[in-house]
Amino acid sequence: MNFQIRPLLLITSIAILSHTQTANANRIGIKMPSEPKLASAPTACKSLDDWNEPTHARRIYGNTWYVGTCGISVVLIATPNGHVLIDSAPEKASEAVRQNILSLGVKLNDIKTILITHEHHDHMGGLASVQAATGAKVLSRSNIVDVLKSGKNDRRDPQFNELSGFDPVANVHAFEDASTITIGDKKIQHLPMSGHAPGGSGWTWQECEKSVCKNLVFADSLGSISDATYRYSAPDSLANALRESSQLVAKTTCDILITGHGTASNLLARLDQKAPLIDPKACLIYAERGAQALLNRLTQEKSEYNK
């Protein structure tokens, strides 16, 4: 399997597997997912805000699958050249995520690449254990490689004083911002989305069903959330980065929006056909809400400063 990172202007490439490993992968074959076999009727989530509560796997569109929990999105992008996982949920939920993956009939070691949205424990606290179970390569923005490898929280993070740590992650490799991750015919475009966290990342790719192709966007959080001491109005804050992230999401071609916390996009209801899955305006609306929330936050901070 050849793996390429393609920045928008500069093209570079590296190989995840050697030629021998590629030949072995082709000989053994990568198992593509199929609809999960449920022992009983799906049980409704008790809380869509519960990061750890298990729920069953669901097809999102084409060969992209939801394998997360009731409250945290984890996405599997399946390709014949090896599967890609985005995020892992918290460590307490990592076993539920692994079981969801297995319920699709695929092997854990068919996952060759792991990506993340941002370096908070609710989204990637289980990353170390999932990486160990799969043997996958973890790809990271260069500005948080040391954070992932150490498990130590980043002092630049707006929520630094409230964050829980996580186990150090192995096999971490940097990529350039705005790169295209290419695995076989699958191209996954990186969207730099700092602001909620320094290493924030969105991802967009295309899936097709019966020749009907849709653009999927797994957008990172646009929440201007912080601990009690952080100020987005400070000169060295991530406010400008967060504003730019909203602008980037707003102009991204988007048919199906996925968010790390499903409640931000009504995700599980949409996957369960209780609301429309496809909405070309979803990313624009999501971006506008994020930009307005930041404006409200800055206005509040200014008001507090002037008291």
Side-chain angles (χ1 to χ4, degrees):
M1 175 183 66
N2 289 329
F3 167 88
Q4 296 181 334
I5 293 180
R6 296 181 180 175
L8 296 181
L9 298 177
L10 175 66
I11 297 178
T12 60
S13 65
I14 60 174
I16 280 184
L17 301 176
S18 67
H19 294 300
T20 301
Q21 289 173 310
T22 301
N24 288 338
N26 291 336
R27 177 174 59 81
I28 296 171
I30 300 293
K31 177 71 173 178
M32 295 297 285
S34 57
E35 295 291 342
K37 296 180 179 178
L38 303 177
S40 59
T43 301
C45 291
K46 296 178 181 177
S47 171
L48 293 177
D49 291 317
D50 191 325
W51 300 345
N52 301 311
E53 183 182 353
T55 187
H56 64 281
R58 297 158 168 85
R59 186 193 298 270
I60 298 177
Y61 196 83
N63 280 317
T64 293
W65 301 78
Y66 185 94
V67 293
T69 64
C70 287
I72 296 291
S73 299
V74 181
V75 168
L76 179 75
I77 305 172
T79 87
N81 299 85
H83 305 327
V84 178
L85 195 70
I86 305 180
D87 283 350
S88 67
E91 171 56 29
K92 288 183 179 180
S94 60
E95 177 60 26
V97 171
R98 289 193 289 270
Q99 289 303 315
N100 273 347
I101 295 168
L102 293 171
S103 77
L104 301 177
V106 304
K107 298 176 292 185
L108 293 178
N109 61 9
D110 282 345
I111 297 173
K112 305 299 183 183
T113 308
I114 301 176
L115 310 173
I116 69 167
T117 53
H118 66 268
E119 64 280 20
H120 287 173
H121 66 97
D122 49 338
H123 300 281
M124 47 69 63
L127 185 57
S129 61
V130 171
Q131 189 283 325
T134 61
K137 173 172 283 190
V138 177
L139 300 183
S140 166
R141 291 182 70 175
S142 58
N143 68 333
I144 58 166
V145 167
D146 291 341
V147 174
L148 298 186
K149 287 182 176 181
S150 68
K152 296 180 181 179
N153 294 318
D154 191 336
R155 191 64 188 85
R156 300 167 298 171
D157 197 296
Q159 298 181 63
F160 177 79
N161 291 325
E162 297 177 350
L163 293 174
S164 299
F166 49 87
D167 292 337
V169 181
N171 202 15
V172 179
H173 300 265
F175 63 82
E176 295 182 59
D177 285 357
S179 296
T180 298
I181 312 302
T182 302
I183 302 176
D185 293 333
K186 182 66 66 180
K187 292 178 171 55
I188 307 172
Q189 178 70 45
H190 175 246
L191 305 173
M193 288 186 65
S194 297
H196 179 74
S201 296
W203 301 96
T204 182
W205 64 100
Q206 190 175 84
E207 290 285 5
C208 301
E209 291 185 0
K210 297 180 180 179
S211 300
V212 178
C213 299
K214 300 296 180 183
N215 294 292
L216 283 66
V217 177
F218 193 160
D220 193 26
S221 174
L222 293 174
S224 43
I225 303 168
S226 76
D227 57 36
T229 60
Y230 189 89
R231 294 292 178 268
Y232 271 96
S233 54
D236 59 348
S237 81
L238 292 175
N240 285 337
L242 188 55
R243 190 177 293 110
E244 291 170 359
S245 296
S246 292
Q247 294 168 352
L248 178 60
V249 172
K251 67 182 182 181
T252 299
T253 303
C254 173
D255 298 307
I256 299 174
L257 172 63
I258 303 165
T259 51
H261 292 272
T263 51
S265 56
N266 200 26
L267 183 58
L268 289 187
R270 291 161 51 224
L271 295 180
D272 292 341
Q273 300 181 347
K274 297 177 181 178
L277 174 65
I278 298 168
D279 181 359
K281 295 182 179 180
C283 280
L284 177 60
I285 294 170
Y286 181 66
E288 289 175 344
R289 288 174 178 169
Q292 185 61 53
L294 176 61
L295 180 60
N296 293 344
R297 171 66 187 261
L298 294 173
T299 300
Q300 178 187 353
E301 289 184 7
K302 182 178 180 180
S303 176
E304 292 174 350
Y305 179 79
N306 290 329
K307 285 183 179 179

